[in-house]
Amino acid sequence: MIKEMLTGNAAAAWGVRLAEVDYVPAYPITPQTEIIEMLARWISNGDVDTKFVTLDSEHSMITAAGAASATGVRVFTATSSQGLLYGFEMLYTVAGWRVPLVMVNVSRALSSPITLEPDHNDILAARDAGFLQIHCETCQEVLDSVLIAYRLAEDERVLLPVLINMDGFHLSFTREPVEVPDREQVVRFLPPYRPKHAFFKASQPMAQGTAVIGGSGYSYFKYQMHFASMGALDVYREVSEEFGRLFGRSYNTTEGYMIDDAEYILIMTNSFSTLGKAAVKRAREKGVKAGLLRLRLLRPFPELGIKEAIRKAKAVAIVDQNISVGKGGILYSEISSVMYNEKERPLLLSFIGGLGGKTISSEEFEFIFDRMIEAVDTGVGKVPYLLYTEMEWKEMEKLKNVAGKGNKNYSNCRGETHNITEHGKE
């Protein structure tokens, strides 16, 4: 086993190399292109025995990936942002085929306005498609998750595709020390894929993904997908425990940080959780019993783990790096539904931040903890808080003035603005 400094993209490519994938249909898009560039170079050099094809779009790419996976070969592909949306139709189709495709999404905020940095509206738009979703904080986790994803997807109790998510730029282009396991060690965990149910054989024709007419048949297949996805929680735990025994690292469906005695808990996902953990340490130094719960598996949704982790807290702040326009934070709604019928439950507060890669500053985390403490005192929490600093607001006003669209009352902006709604809507 060796340790290398790898970007998140390179870690993903190493995971695919170690999984000995048979086929990689690809289409480039920033910031995931480095993954397929590395794979293409290894294949060209003869380091990897894999078929690589560049398609004409993400829609064709996902179609080819799903179709190949249905023939019984191990397939990988990757995309990001607009690319994921361009292939959106095929996400539902491929999931319905019940094929064990593994796909990496490198999160990037959606247009418009167009940008390159991450938030999670792209990956969360796909949460109902039938793909399982694993969300990563570190580069090591990206490599390990590729291996875990194939074991999970190829298990006959699951047979659903998996999306692995990492934050564009913040993780995709950040180098971290990553342990690259030996191939012999990986084979013990992930043997070659030899499915009994999926094959491509001229002498034995087989139909997959056939049409059903009538709601009864359609409902049956959708319910089967749902049962398989929910059952994947138990399979995931088995797979994760075996991975831990072999590699010395294990990944639960959720990760608690300083959470055992925590009264005020942040819930976050992906690489910005690192910022949240630093904020928890600072809050602890000030005497606040703070903790963080990171959601690693978002589909299936780890309801039991969430309930057990937060039910005894006084207040919980769900920090959504996404926005459902006209509603608010997506994860806030999902966690609220999990806790609604619980007799013992904390106050839940919603914060939206980190859109388009906007950092969440130390003062914004202090604002979050202050609002949680205030809500416990008053019994009321505002929903949602839109994180935006005074400096960011002023900078935006300057840019609008340059464009001739400025607010003439800019000089009247007052207060410690960490919540854009305090300035009112325009």
Side-chain angles (χ1 to χ4, degrees), residues 281-302:
K281 286 186 69 175
R282 291 192 299 272
R284 287 269 176 177
E285 289 168 0
K286 295 178 179 178
V288 178
K289 288 188 176 181
L292 183 143
L293 182 70
R294 179 169 70 91
L295 307 185
R296 172 171 156 75
L297 209 60
L298 287 188
R299 284 294 182 273
F301 202 60

Side-chain angles (χ1 to χ4, degrees), residues 111-157:
S111 296
S112 62
I114 193 167
T115 188
L116 294 179
E117 293 186 78
D119 64 33
H120 302 148
N121 268 104
D122 58 353
I123 185 70
L124 290 180
R127 69 189 186 281
D128 300 329
F131 278 62
L132 311 184
Q133 287 198 8
I134 299 173
H135 290 237
C136 301
E137 180 184 2
T138 68
C139 295
Q140 182 71 65
E141 198 177 337
V142 172
L143 188 155
D144 294 345
S145 294
V146 172
L147 304 177
I148 290 171
Y150 279 111
R151 268 292 301 274
L152 186 63
E154 292 171 1
D155 191 294
E156 290 186 353
R157 293 168 291 178

Side-chain angles (χ1 to χ4, degrees), residues 296-318:
R296 172 171 156 75
L297 209 60
L298 287 188
R299 284 294 182 273
F301 202 60
E303 293 190 9
L304 184 59
I306 293 170
K307 289 177 184 175
E308 290 177 348
I310 70 173
R311 63 158 51 100
K312 293 183 178 177
K314 291 181 178 178
V316 172
I318 296 103

